[in-house]
């Protein structure tokens, strides 16, 4: 197995263990055993458990940012058409629900890490959400007449709504846990759009949907 493939294997296993057992309950021995590698080999890839955890968090963050960027790509520039503002909101919400559905329990490492009292971990955990909010804010500037800082706050609120709703549904916190993911994403997107559509400057006449 190549070095890169081995590293990816270790990250997959560490992600699963950290997500299901928590950072403090997983040792490098546990990870080495699961990955079928010696501790010296593991430490050649990652000098410490914290370094490994940060690599796992970065990996999840990259996947989230990529999902949001891909979802927003069709409405990220060019001429603003009626209905595009709604598409921005729906694309964002669907991206978060899709990411959580794909990542499963490991999404908690980005959204609910048990190590956020460590400054380095907190900064890495928060960076993915901050980056997606910045991207959304840039897109919103094409559609609203708001100042830059207002768009940033609106984007942060949208991220928070999508993140919490997608995570709650996946954890099974209520009767909505059995709701199909597409239906859940559509419902939350409609709620989010209902709040933001009054800020959009070039939309078609308001409707009830």
């Amino acid at each position: 197995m190549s070095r890169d493939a081995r590293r990816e294997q270790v990250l997959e296993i560490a992600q699963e263990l950290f997500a299901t057992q928590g950072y403090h309950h997983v040792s490098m021995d546990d990870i080495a055993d699961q990955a079928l590698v010696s501790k010296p080999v593991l430490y050649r890839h990652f000098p410490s458990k914290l370094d490994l955890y940060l690599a796992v968090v970065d990996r999840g963050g990259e996947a989230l940012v990529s999902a949001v960027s891909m979802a927003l790509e069709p409405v990220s520039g060019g001429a603003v058409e009626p209905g595009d503002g709604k598409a921005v909101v729906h694309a964002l919400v669907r991206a978060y629900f899709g990411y959580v559905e794909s990542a499963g329990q490991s999404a908690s490492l980005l959204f609910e890490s048990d190590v956020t009292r460590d400054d380095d971990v907190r900064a890495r955990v928060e960076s993915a959400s901050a980056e997606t909010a910045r991207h959304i804010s840039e897109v919103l500037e094409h559609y609203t007449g708001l100042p830059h800082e207002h768009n940033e706050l609106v984007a942060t609120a949208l991220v928070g709504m999508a993140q919490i709703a997608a995570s709650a549904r996946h954890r099974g916190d209520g009767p909505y846990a059995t709701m199909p993911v597409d239906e859940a994403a559509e419902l939350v997107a409609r709620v989010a759009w209902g709040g933001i559509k009054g800020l959009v400057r070039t939309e078609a006449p308001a409707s009830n949907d």
Side-chain angles (χ1 to χ4, degrees), residues 15-16 19 60 63 97-108 110 170:
Q15 176 178 282
E16 177 67 19
F97 272 82
Y99 169 76
V100 171
E101 190 71 7
S102 174
Q105 196 165 352
S106 66
S108 64
L110 276 185
H170 190 271

Side-chain angles (χ1 to χ4, degrees), residues 11 14 18-19 22-23 46 48-59 108-110 112-116 121 125:
L11 285 171
F18 286 140
Y23 177 83
F46 305 99
S48 70
K49 186 171 77 165
L50 182 57
D51 287 318
L52 176 52
Y53 187 84
L54 290 174
V56 168
V57 168
D58 286 345
R59 185 170 179 263
S108 64
L109 300 178
L110 276 185
E112 303 164 16
S113 172
D114 62 343
V115 205
T116 51
V121 175
V125 166

Side-chain angles (χ1 to χ4, degrees), residues 94-157:
R94 284 195 300 269
Y96 265 84
F97 272 82
Y99 169 76
V100 171
E101 190 71 7
S102 174
Q105 196 165 352
S106 66
S108 64
L109 300 178
L110 276 185
F111 302 153
E112 303 164 16
S113 172
D114 62 343
V115 205
T116 51
R117 282 178 291 182
D118 182 285
D119 290 342
D120 288 338
V121 175
R122 184 171 61 253
R124 301 287 258 281
V125 166
E126 292 175 353
S127 67
S129 292
E131 186 170 347
T132 57
R134 282 194 298 272
H135 188 182
I136 295 158
S137 174
E138 291 170 359
V139 174
L140 285 176
E141 289 186 1
H142 292 287
Y143 301 98
T144 75
L146 298 175
H148 175 73
E149 62 273 18
H150 289 202
N151 283 313
E152 286 195 346
L153 184 57
V154 170
T156 299

Side-chain angles (χ1 to χ4, degrees), residues 172-193:
D173 287 350
Y176 46 78
T178 59
M179 187 183 297
V181 64
D182 289 342
E183 182 181 343
E186 174 65 18
L187 176 61
V188 174
R190 287 176 63 191
V191 172
W193 175 239

